[in-house]
């Protein structure tokens, strides 16, 4: 599993699970849901996990971490960065900018629990079955599942959704490339056939498919026009989930309302969740404006991205008198890499020595101290935050054996030198790092003329940092003079989120901030992150355009890992190869979420380990608290 929620810097895939130690190494442990046999003599299962034992039995009534008696009601107002012009999930990442929150109107076959590291239970589907060789999976739909128009969710809907997602979605076309067919094999049963055995993750990720209403998408809109599932739309779509879109103002706000007769309210995975009567998403082009709106009680919840602002911008009366609460939530649910990514499709960035020089020019320690009050640590891994996958020291054991098989395709240094980012923090360190950057550039054929860096053909070196938020400019502006000391001309271009996405899709950038979120069970999504086949596909998450045979080979090892130990060794090897190829200048990681809120809500205690804050899904409106803050009813 690795479809993860987009990082806030990019406007936000769903929070990924994080590692848990001490579990058994059965990568596909599942629970038995029903005594009767499924097709082909298989047993129906009520839960699916990519590894380890599952927690909840077949007859469980709810998750342990929810409040089944949570009151329903109240309105919560959420901050969202950027704009939107699309409600169609299918073309997310390919066309337009999808409105945050719209995913709550759709549902998947299964949904993951937040107190287990990597386990999913039935939502639209009530059971799953698959053979020991993982060559296919069969899901059985719940008879009660309904669209908001009252029509049943059918096998045709599932098959239709699979086909349009795989054909048109940049993410799902890669994620589901090994699922070759979806077909109906029973009244409410759908069989997903894989292109071969041994891919242990496929039964689980098939359950992550968002299911769309075929009859709605193949029908006409209110003006009588045929709907187009391959186009962006601002027509309010039909869903099956606990919320539906009530109203919106394009690019500015989306209001979701709770569906009172939601079909799944008593399904065990839904009990105690989705308690607010309305969820309002308010869109702002800049964090600063959004923060001031929060302080003026125009928003209820504000996730703070800036460490410095967290320390300095919340000195106002509502914080002093505890009507506003600041809280950090530990993120045990994901890891990954955030960095300035080079567009390798441009010849300038072809030489790894130039890319390493950019890293030596980045005084991250001083940046963190001045811009973030020392809130962070620097990313040192593509799996930062998931310790067992992080490449440390020198390769040894199983990891070394894997890398030895690729020795002629990987940087020689990784066998002899532990990877470390340059360390700055003071003027002497910064000067030494710039000297090393200059040495690397000279070695790569660049030289300085009239204080300008030029390439072997005498062309000046100029780069543009592309950004989608004014707040991100501060970090780039700090970085800029260090690069200029190397003779590099630096431009900064900030555009709105729609333009930003369009430029990413067309690969029209030099350097952008990129985030890859990782789960504790990496798998098929690595192809979309780093695989050669996704490098030139518009909308893929291979933002740098990585085409590396060693990376491709390691991705295949991860996907077809025979056991947990093999998966861990393969991830470490991939991490090490990615780091030594300097595809990004690593930025920062925190391991927590900062959030300020008006004290109008209550939550379960304790929160589930893998749910971060769990807001707003697990929280509820607290009338007594709201009265003390002057809140709405």
């Amino acid at each position: 599993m690795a479809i993860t929620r987009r990082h806030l810097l990019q406007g936000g895939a769903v929070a990924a699970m994080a590692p848990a130690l001490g579990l058994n190494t059965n990568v596909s442990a599942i629970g038995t849901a029903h005594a009767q046999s499924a097709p082909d003599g298989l047993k129906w299962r009520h839960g699916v996990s990519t590894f380890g034992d599952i927690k909840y039995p077949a007859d469980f009534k709810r998750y342990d971490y929810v409040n089944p008696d949570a009151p329903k009601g109240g309105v919560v107002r959420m901050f969202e960065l950027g704009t939107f012009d699309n409600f169609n999930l299918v073309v997310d990442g390919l066309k337009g900018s999808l409105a945050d929150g719209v995913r709550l109107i759709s549902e998947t076959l299964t949904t993951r629990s937040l107190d287990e590291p990597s386990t999913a239970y039935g939502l639209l589907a009530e059971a799953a079955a698959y053979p020991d060789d993982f060559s296919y999976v069969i899901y059985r739909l719940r008879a009660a599942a309904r669209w908001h128009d009252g029509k049943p969710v059918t096998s045709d809907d599932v098959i239709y959704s699979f086909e349009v997602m795989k054909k048109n979605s940049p993410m799902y076309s890669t994620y589901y490339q090994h699922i070759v067919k979806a077909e109906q094999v029973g009244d409410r049963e759908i069989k997903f056939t894989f292109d071969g055995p041994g891919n242990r993750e496929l039964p689980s990720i098939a359950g992550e498919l968002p299911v769309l209403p075929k009859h709605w998408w193949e029908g006409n809109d209110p003006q009588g026009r045929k709907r187009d599932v391959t186009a962006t739309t601002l027509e309010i779509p039909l869903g099956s989930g606990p919320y539906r879109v009530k109203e919106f103002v394009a690019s500015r706000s989306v209001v979701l309302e709770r569906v009172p007769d939601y079909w799944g309210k008593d399904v065990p995975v839904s009990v105690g969740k989705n308690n607010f009567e309305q969820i309002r998403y308010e869109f702002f082009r800049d964090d600063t404006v959004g923060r001031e709106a929060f302080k003026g009680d125009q928003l209820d919840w504000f996730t703070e991205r800036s460490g410095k602002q967290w320390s300095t911008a919340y000195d106002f009366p509502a914080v002093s008198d505890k009507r506003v609460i600041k809280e950090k939530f530990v993120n045990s649910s994901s890891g990954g890499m955030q960095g300035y990514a080079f567009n390798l499709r441009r010849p300038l960035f072809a030489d790894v020595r130039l890319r390493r020089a950019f890293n030596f020019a980045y005084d991250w320690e001083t940046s963190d101290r001045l811009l973030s009050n020392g809130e962070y640590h620097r990313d040192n891994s593509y799996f930062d935050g998931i310790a067992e996958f992080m490449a440390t020291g020198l390769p040894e054991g199983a990891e070394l054996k894997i890398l030895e098989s690729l020795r002629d395709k990987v940087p020689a240094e990784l066998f002899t030198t532990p990877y470390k980012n340059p360390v700055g923090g003071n003027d002497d360190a910064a000067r030494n790092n710039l000297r090393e950057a200059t040495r690397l550039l000279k070695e790569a054929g660049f030289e300085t003329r009239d204080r300008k860096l030029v390439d072997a053909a005498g062309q000046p070196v100029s780069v543009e940092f592309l950004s989608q938020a004014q707040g991100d400019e501060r970090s780039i502006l700090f970085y800029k003079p260090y690069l200029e000391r190397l003779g590099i001309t630096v431009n900064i271009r900030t555009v709105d989120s729609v333009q930003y996405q369009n430029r990413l899709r067309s690969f029209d950038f030099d350097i952008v901030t990129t985030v890859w979120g990782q789960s504790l069970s990496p798998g098929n999504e690595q192809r979309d992150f780093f695989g050669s086949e996704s490098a030139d596909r518009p909308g893929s998450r291979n933002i740098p355009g990585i085409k590396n045979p060693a990376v491709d080979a390691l991705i295949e090892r991860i996907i077809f890992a025979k056991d947990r130990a093999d998966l861990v060794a393969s991830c470490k090897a991939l991490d090490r190869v990615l780091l030594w190829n300097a595809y990004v200048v690593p930025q920062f990681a925190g391991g927590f979420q900062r959030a300020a809120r008006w004290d109008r809500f209550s939550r379960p205690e304790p929160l589930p380990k893998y749910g971060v804050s769990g807001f707003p899904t697990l929280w509820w409106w607290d009338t007594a608290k709201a009265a003390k803050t002057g809140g709405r009813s």
Side-chain angles (χ1 to χ4, degrees):
M1 190 287 293
I3 295 293
T4 58
R5 190 184 190 280
R6 289 179 300 169
H7 189 278
L8 288 170
L9 283 172
Q10 296 179 302
V14 189
M17 301 296 100
L21 304 177
L23 299 177
N24 73 46
T25 56
N26 179 359
V27 178
S28 61
I30 43 185
T32 302
H34 304 276
Q36 71 267 32
S37 294
D40 302 335
L42 302 174
K43 289 184 178 179
W44 289 115
R45 325 270 187 170
H46 78 289
V48 182
S49 178
T50 49
F51 79 95
D53 296 321
I54 70 171
K55 174 179 178 178
Y56 294 96
D59 60 350
F60 83 105
K61 304 301 182 186
R62 62 174 177 86
Y63 293 132
D64 290 345
Y65 53 82
V66 301
N67 175 8
D69 301 316
K72 305 294 185 183
V75 178
V76 60
R77 303 163 300 174
M78 306 280 288
F79 165 82
E80 293 295 338
L81 180 65
T83 61
F84 70 92
D85 63 355
N86 178 36
F87 287 148
N88 182 4
L89 291 171
V90 175
V91 295
D92 182 29
L94 182 64
K95 301 175 182 179
S97 181
L98 188 71
D100 285 340
V102 74
R103 295 181 186 276
L104 288 177
I105 74 171
S106 299
E107 294 182 301
T108 50
L109 296 171
T110 62
T111 186
R112 294 187 175 265
S113 62
L114 300 180
D115 57 350
E116 299 171 88
S118 188
T119 304
Y121 299 93
L123 180 53
L124 286 173
E126 64 183 2
Y130 57 83
D132 292 340
D133 68 354
F134 310 101
S135 58
Y136 64 88
V137 65
I138 299 171
Y139 276 99
R140 186 174 70 199
L141 292 172
R142 295 185 189 273
R146 291 287 186 276
W147 300 106
H148 294 155
D149 64 2
K151 294 183 178 181
V153 179
T154 68
S155 299
D156 279 347
D157 293 322
V158 178
I159 295 167
Y160 171 79
S161 301
F162 169 75
E163 291 174 349
V164 298
M165 283 290 191
K166 187 173 180 182
K167 181 179 180 180
N168 300 291
S169 167
M171 180 176 69
Y172 285 100
S173 63
T174 299
Y175 199 47
Y176 285 163
Q177 71 177 70
H178 288 297
I179 306 178
V180 296
K181 183 171 60 174
E183 60 185 325
Q184 185 169 351
V185 294
D187 183 35
R188 304 193 316 274
E189 296 162 7
I190 308 96
K191 180 179 181 179
F192 296 91
T193 302
F194 311 147
D195 61 359
N199 192 328
R200 295 169 176 259
E201 190 185 35
L202 290 180
S204 290
I205 68 172
E208 298 174 7
L209 175 71
V211 180
L212 308 173
K214 179 181 179 181
H215 69 281
W216 190 86
W217 279 105
E218 291 190 340
N220 297 328
D221 67 16
Q223 287 73 43
R225 296 169 300 198
K226 190 75 173 177
R227 294 189 179 98
D228 183 359
V229 77
T230 69
T232 61
T233 182
L234 283 175
E235 181 185 2
I236 294 175
L238 181 68
S240 64
Y243 288 94
R244 60 191 171 205
V245 177
K246 178 184 179 183
E247 60 191 25
F248 69 93
V249 177
S251 299
R252 294 182 59 184
S253 64
V254 177
V255 179
L256 301 185
E257 63 178 356
R258 192 168 59 84
V259 178
D261 57 350
Y262 168 51
W263 76 268
K265 63 183 177 62
D266 296 322
V267 172
V269 298
S270 299
V271 172
K273 297 162 60 177
N274 305 307
N275 301 309
F276 292 104
E277 193 64 27
Q278 286 188 9
I279 304 175
R280 303 180 63 95
Y281 294 89
E282 304 289 348
F283 290 76
F284 295 83
R285 294 175 185 265
D286 184 77
D287 289 284
T288 301
V289 179
R291 189 181 301 109
E292 292 305 310
F294 169 79
K295 291 161 71 172
D297 199 7
Q298 301 302 305
L299 299 168
D300 295 299
W301 180 282
F302 188 83
T303 300
E304 180 58 71
R305 299 192 307 146
S306 167
K308 184 158 191 162
Q309 295 298 322
W310 184 251
S311 300
T312 62
Y314 291 85
D315 184 16
F316 61 101
V319 174
S320 303
D321 61 25
K322 306 299 184 184
R323 290 180 295 134
V324 165
I325 295 175
K326 295 171 61 184
E327 186 169 4
K328 284 185 180 180
F329 298 92
V330 175
N331 183 3
S332 299
S333 63
S334 65
M337 166 64 77
Q338 175 176 314
Y340 293 116
F342 304 101
N343 187 353
L344 303 178
R345 304 167 191 86
R346 300 197 165 169
L348 173 64
F349 303 113
D351 197 308
V352 68
R353 291 167 294 189
L354 176 134
R355 303 196 300 267
R356 290 179 183 174
F358 269 72
N359 197 4
F360 274 96
Y362 185 36
D363 186 354
W364 179 84
E365 287 75 14
T366 300
S367 173
D368 182 50
R369 186 180 72 250
L370 296 180
L371 302 184
S372 302
N373 283 11
E375 282 271 319
Y376 300 104
H377 67 269
R378 194 173 189 192
D379 263 330
N380 285 289
S381 168
Y382 281 77
F383 298 92
D384 196 286
I386 309 176
E388 62 180 335
F389 296 149
M390 295 172 63
T392 57
L394 292 175
E396 57 185 20
E399 182 200 354
L400 178 59
K401 185 175 180 180
I402 292 169
L403 290 170
E404 285 285 4
S405 70
L406 300 168
R407 182 176 276 274
D408 62 332
K409 298 181 179 66
V410 300
E413 300 99 317
L414 65 78
F415 291 102
T416 60
T417 308
Y419 178 85
K420 293 181 180 179
N421 285 313
V423 177
N426 57 63
D427 290 342
D428 287 342
R431 281 192 291 270
N432 290 335
N433 287 336
L434 288 171
R435 289 189 190 101
E436 177 61 15
T438 300
R439 186 192 69 78
L440 287 166
L441 291 168
K442 185 176 182 179
E443 187 179 287
F446 296 88
E447 60 180 75
T448 303
R449 297 179 186 171
D450 298 324
R451 303 181 68 179
K452 295 293 184 183
L453 189 71
V454 298
D455 62 17
Q459 295 299 312
V461 175
S462 176
V463 299
E464 178 184 88
F465 285 78
L466 182 65
S467 170
Q468 65 172 331
Q470 295 288 340
D472 296 338
E473 287 187 5
R474 291 194 312 138
S475 296
I476 304 171
L477 286 170
F478 174 86
Y479 190 12
K480 179 180 178 181
Y482 291 85
L483 293 171
E484 289 175 335
R485 288 169 68 181
L486 295 175
I488 299 171
T489 300
V490 178
N491 299 302
I492 304 171
R493 177 69 60 85
T494 300
V495 297
D496 67 33
S497 59
V498 174
Q499 295 177 35
Y500 183 82
Q501 292 300 325
N502 287 335
R503 288 189 61 173
L504 284 188
R505 291 183 196 114
S506 60
F507 311 126
D508 181 18
F509 65 90
D510 291 335
I511 301 172
V512 294
T513 293
T514 300
V515 181
W516 291 281
Q518 295 283 4
S519 77
L520 71 113
S521 186
N524 290 264
E525 77 292 335
Q526 303 301 312
R527 286 199 186 98
D528 194 34
F529 288 176
F530 312 118
S532 296
E533 63 193 55
S534 66
D536 296 321
R537 191 183 71 248
S540 85
R541 289 176 288 176
N542 186 348
I543 300 299
I546 298 168
K547 294 181 180 179
N548 185 317
V551 170
D552 292 338
L554 292 169
I555 289 171
E556 295 305 299
R557 286 197 62 100
I558 288 171
I559 291 172
F560 291 96
K562 296 180 175 62
D563 53 38
R564 184 70 180 177
D566 190 21
L567 178 68
V568 170
S570 300
C571 287
K572 285 187 173 182
L574 176 63
D575 188 31
R576 199 177 299 272
V577 171
L578 291 171
L579 289 168
W580 274 105
N581 275 285
Y583 297 124
V584 303
V585 175
Q587 293 179 350
F588 57 84
F592 51 79
Q593 177 194 66
R594 306 182 201 87
R597 68 183 185 273
W598 286 86
D599 190 18
R600 295 166 178 149
F601 317 107
S602 289
R603 69 189 189 209
E605 293 289 357
L607 288 169
K609 181 175 181 180
Y610 303 115
V612 195
S613 68
F615 191 85
T617 306
L618 304 181
W619 296 54
W620 59 91
W621 180 265
D622 190 312
T623 303
K625 288 182 177 180
K628 295 177 182 178
T629 64
R632 307 162 319 281
S633 60

